[in-house]
Amino acid sequence: MGDLGYSADMRKRTLIPPSPAEDDYRARPSEIESDIGSGVDPMALFEDWLAEAVAREPADANAMTLATVGADGLPDARVVLLKDVDARGFVFYTNLESAKARQLAVQNNAALVFHWKSLRRSVRVRGQTAPVSEAEADVYFATRARSAQIGAWASEQSRPMPDDHALERRVAEAAIRFGLGAPPRPPFWSGFRLSPQSLEFWRSRPFRLHERQLFTREGGAWKRERLYP
């Protein structure tokens, strides 16, 4: 029994990559980049990093982890897609009866994390959320593929399904309901904008001496600090 336990433990250990050796770090010339610098608008910098991620990241460069707080006081997190970004903040869309939307209706503080593995970069964002306008939601919903529009009507997001085929039935019912016409935006589906109070840019550096730069909003300006890794 002791041998079996040891073998199982060793198998688990092989799932975790070992810490990089000296030669591994030296084989990463892409990590040697110029400093972020001072006097930078963090939202403009984010858009530059996002553009590079779109060009180089294999899939879903606009994927971000959204962290909220549940009614029980525990943090909750899930991956959603960024659908717009400008000086006002970061926009995502969801069913308003989903867990995330219900949590934000009670506590609008939230956080985002972008992780671009191929670039060895990440960005952390903290701030407050507010609903987007009806017009903004309508414009974005109209750009979605018809199947995604039907799906928005069919899914009772975050709620238990009565059986394995409940979603397929609701999709079929919604498709029949709207026929060949363009489905309108459901009244229970819209978006949120997170207005950032802080953004932290992280960039990998050899020997785990990573670059961290924190931008914090102070009135109408941004304060910049360099953080120890």
Side-chain angles (χ1 to χ4, degrees):
M1 292 296 292
D3 289 341
L4 288 175
Y6 179 77
S7 298
D9 184 60
M10 289 298 292
R11 284 197 297 272
K12 289 180 182 178
R13 291 182 184 178
T14 62
L15 297 176
I16 308 299
S19 296
E22 296 279 339
D23 290 342
D24 294 325
Y25 282 118
R26 294 191 180 96
R28 297 177 181 175
S30 62
E31 294 181 11
I32 309 300
E33 302 178 23
S34 61
D35 183 84
I36 289 174
S38 60
V40 175
D41 174 359
M43 296 304 292
L45 176 60
F46 174 84
E47 291 190 37
D48 288 344
W49 279 28
L50 178 61
E52 190 168 351
V54 169
R56 295 174 54 187
E57 194 71 20
D60 295 329
N62 61 326
M64 60 187 185
T65 298
L66 167 68
T68 54
V69 179
D72 55 7
L74 293 175
D76 205 353
R78 76 289 288 160
V79 177
V80 299
L81 295 178
L82 176 71
K83 289 302 179 179
D84 193 16
V85 61
D86 57 25
R88 296 173 296 169
F90 304 81
V91 175
F92 60 93
Y93 291 88
T94 185
N95 186 311
L96 297 179
E97 297 173 3
S98 65
K100 68 178 90 58
R102 286 185 280 110
Q103 291 166 353
L104 290 173
V106 176
Q107 171 57 269
N108 72 333
N109 291 329
L112 306 172
V113 178
F114 296 84
H115 178 220
W116 297 305
K117 184 177 181 180
S118 298
L119 277 65
R120 299 184 182 276
R121 293 177 178 176
S122 68
V123 179
R124 298 170 59 205
V125 186
R126 302 174 74 203
Q128 290 75 46
T129 62
V132 301
S133 69
E134 296 288 308
E136 286 179 282
D138 287 341
V139 168
Y140 172 69
F141 189 78
T143 68
R144 287 165 62 96
R146 177 180 169 79
S147 57
Q149 294 173 334
I150 293 292
W153 278 96
S155 176
E156 295 185 311
Q157 192 172 354
S158 299
R159 282 163 285 180
M161 288 173 50
D163 59 71
D164 291 345
H165 303 290
L167 180 59
E168 287 82 354
R169 289 196 300 270
R170 289 182 61 86
V171 168
E173 291 166 0
I176 293 171
R177 174 182 177 184
F178 295 109
L180 298 178
R185 178 176 62 87
F188 52 81
W189 191 96
S190 191
F192 292 88
R193 174 177 286 104
L194 187 148
S195 299
Q197 292 300 309
S198 68
L199 295 94
E200 182 186 319
F201 294 81
W202 178 97
R203 188 156 53 188
S204 179
R205 285 291 183 267
F207 311 108
R208 301 196 188 281
L209 302 178
H210 308 308
E211 180 182 2
R212 294 176 63 189
Q213 303 233 17
L214 175 65
F215 293 83
T216 306
R217 192 188 296 274
E218 294 187 348
W222 289 100
K223 174 186 175 183
R224 170 183 171 270
E225 299 176 285
R226 184 185 293 276
L227 304 179
Y228 282 106

